[in-house]
Amino acid sequence: MKGARLALMMFLQYFIWGVWFVTMGTYLGQTLHFTDREIGLAYGATAIAALASPFFMGIVADRFFASEKLLALLHLIGAAVMWVVAQQTTFALFYPLLIIYALCYMPTLSLTNSISFHHVADSTRFPYVRVLGTLGWIVAGILVGKELHADALVLPMRIAAGASLLMAVYSLSLPHTPPKAAGAPFHVRDALGLDALQLLKSRDFRVFVLGSFLLCIPLQFYYSFANPFLNEIKVPEAAFIQTFGQMSEVAFMLLLPLVLRRFGIKVIMLVGMLAWSLRYFAFADGNAGPAMGLIYIGILLHGVCYDFFFVGGQVYTDQRAGEKIRAAAQGFNFVTNGLGYFVGAFVSGAVVNRYAVANPTCTDAAAATHECLKVLHDWHSVWMVPAVAALAVFVLFGVAFRPRRSTAIGMADGSP
């Protein structure tokens, strides 16, 4: 019974994120007519929050509040802020409010994990709880893309606000989870995971961190501009089709332990990096007509892209960190979800803006119409940039990353 309650918590947690995040770029570009640079910055809001989240978790969440009550409070505030965000039509107001919302939401990812691990007796069963989060993201995409056809509407943000309110109420019914470090003295190095910096003395871990950071820059192109791209080239039910990526994520998650034992961590991470490059090459030559198959390939590669790179990276961090896993994991998230995506937000917006083109169907007389206000893009050139960048990181990582033999063997055997 407790497991079902935790699974529903995960479902709501990721439904809230998935329902607005995927299609925001299309809404901002096609409806509010924000620039590509502004869209990129908007997607960097969660990266800013990921940079700040370790401070909040270390100073507040781990010391003063029961996790389920803090989860309820943050989602309640987030519901109100997201509702206000949905009312904004200028970037000057939309952007800072979106950052405030992200600052409320991002810590709840760690909170839901903490609540789950606290109440799941066998931590190896956590994936069975977490997979409901992926299902929540899939349901959000089906709702927005297939049922409501709301990719370019403000409605997904309003749904997110309502779901956040529901989550706030539901959180109060979750099992009590006391703060983990109540009464313990606060140290900045604990909040930021600075003890894990000693791992950087190892050359292979330095290469791992640098490679992860560099890869996250081209990765942001997908999260920020895949949905606007699909809608601009007239792919039907774009948000729904993107859920195929999460479906493949579930499948490859089940395969990951098997291939880790067989091939080891270096091969797995390299395959994940190569998959990111291949998906962008597929997008570059794909279209909504005869080459629609390439679009599907690019989306279905998401399972390899995400599981083999991110989950594989977390496994490697776990192996190297030992008892310092919590601090090391924070460091990995700081580099990827924080710094990497923050830089990627700027780069992706600038590149997409660089390849904006005039709408050839619009005359001077029609220039003020709604359709002519939509900016078009040379998407082939856009996608070639992250494709080549990800390929370069793949090559450099393949040459430079040489995990210690003991670690590689441990990975292959699945031993801790």
Side-chain angles (χ1 to χ4, degrees):
M1 187 64 178
K2 184 181 290 186
R5 292 160 67 190
L6 297 175
L8 180 56
M9 172 191 72
M10 284 294 186
F11 179 92
L12 290 172
Q13 176 72 25
Y14 285 88
F15 174 89
I16 292 167
W17 195 1
V19 79
W20 68 271
F21 187 78
V22 174
T23 60
M24 179 178 68
T26 297
Y27 166 64
L28 298 183
Q30 292 190 9
T31 304
L32 297 187
H33 308 297
F34 286 3
T35 68
D36 297 317
R37 286 191 176 92
E38 289 171 340
I39 294 171
L41 286 175
Y43 274 98
T46 52
I48 294 173
L51 291 170
S53 185
F55 283 103
F56 177 81
M57 293 300 295
I59 297 172
V60 178
D62 287 351
R63 284 172 167 76
F64 300 114
F65 297 100
S67 296
E68 76 280 2
K69 290 183 172 59
L70 184 58
L71 184 67
L73 177 62
L74 288 173
H75 274 295
L76 180 63
I77 298 172
V81 175
M82 178 55 82
W83 188 263
V84 176
V85 169
Q87 314 306 313
Q88 307 309 312
T89 58
T90 63
F91 185 75
L93 291 175
F94 180 92
Y95 182 53
L97 286 169
L98 184 64
I99 292 175
I100 293 173
Y101 171 77
L103 289 170
C104 292
Y105 181 84
M106 294 306 285
T108 64
L109 296 173
S110 296
L111 286 171
T112 51
N113 285 342
S114 296
I115 292 171
S116 297
F117 279 117
H118 186 82
H119 295 283
V120 174
D122 181 1
S123 62
T124 63
R125 298 186 63 83
F126 172 73
Y128 296 109
V129 175
R130 173 59 182 82
V131 75
L132 265 291
T134 301
L135 181 60
W137 190 289
I138 291 171
V139 170
I142 293 172
L143 176 65
V144 172
K146 191 170 184 65
E147 300 300 326
L148 300 176
H149 301 284
D151 289 40
L153 303 180
V154 71
L155 181 60
M157 289 188 166
R158 292 173 177 164
I159 294 174
S164 295
L165 181 60
L166 176 63
M167 179 66 165
V169 175
Y170 179 73
S171 297
L172 297 176
S173 72
L174 293 171
H176 176 61
T177 309
K180 292 179 290 187
F186 169 74
H187 299 288
V188 173
R189 65 186 306 108
D190 292 333
L192 292 178
L194 295 182
D195 284 336
L197 289 179
Q198 64 180 287
L199 293 171
L200 294 176
K201 296 177 182 177
S202 168
R203 178 186 179 277
D204 66 286
F205 198 81
R206 290 198 303 271
V207 172
F208 163 74
V209 170
L210 180 60
S212 299
F213 166 74
L214 291 175
L215 188 66
C216 280
I217 297 173
L219 262 56
Q220 186 71 317
F221 280 75
Y222 178 80
Y223 295 115
S224 300
F225 290 102
N227 189 259
F229 158 66
L230 296 175
N231 279 289
E232 188 174 311
I233 66 173
K234 308 300 182 184
V235 169
E237 301 177 337
F240 166 65
I241 290 175
Q242 284 183 266
T243 65
F244 297 169
Q246 276 66 46
M247 296 175 191
S248 75
E249 180 186 327
V250 175
F252 282 102
M253 184 72 76
L254 297 175
L255 289 174
L256 185 59
L258 300 177
V259 294
L260 266 174
R261 294 188 188 98
R262 176 66 179 85
F263 298 106
I265 190 62
K266 179 175 180 176
V267 171
I268 293 306
M269 292 198 68
L270 283 172
V271 169
M273 290 178 169
L274 182 61
W276 278 103
S277 180
L278 293 177
R279 91 179 315 178
Y280 289 143
F281 280 121
F283 282 170
D285 290 327
N287 57 53
M292 184 65 192
L294 290 174
I295 300 296
Y296 283 119
I297 290 172
I299 291 172
L300 289 171
L301 278 171
H302 186 75
V304 183
C305 293
Y306 184 85
D307 292 337
F308 283 28
F309 173 66
F310 281 104
V311 181
Q314 289 165 356
V315 169
Y316 172 71
T317 302
D318 183 17
Q319 295 292 321
R320 292 304 312 273
E323 70 276 6
K324 299 186 188 304
I325 177 58
R326 179 173 179 270
Q330 284 183 349
F332 181 69
N333 290 329
F334 189 89
V335 169
T336 56
N337 295 336
L339 290 175
Y341 282 156
F342 184 70
V343 175
F346 281 91
V347 174
S348 62
V351 169
V352 175
N353 185 74
R354 167 67 178 80
Y355 291 107
V357 297
N359 190 333
T361 64
C362 293
T363 64
D364 291 339
T369 65
H370 180 74
E371 281 299 314
C372 288
L373 289 174
K374 296 179 181 178
V375 177
L376 302 182
H377 301 85
D378 174 6
W379 286 110
H380 175 81
S381 297
V382 168
W383 293 122
M384 288 300 291
V385 173
V388 172
L391 185 61
V393 176
F394 162 78
V395 172
L396 293 173
F397 193 81
V399 172
F401 185 56
R402 299 173 183 173
R404 294 182 310 185
R405 180 171 177 81
S406 58
T407 302
I409 293 174
M411 287 292 184
D413 293 339
S415 59

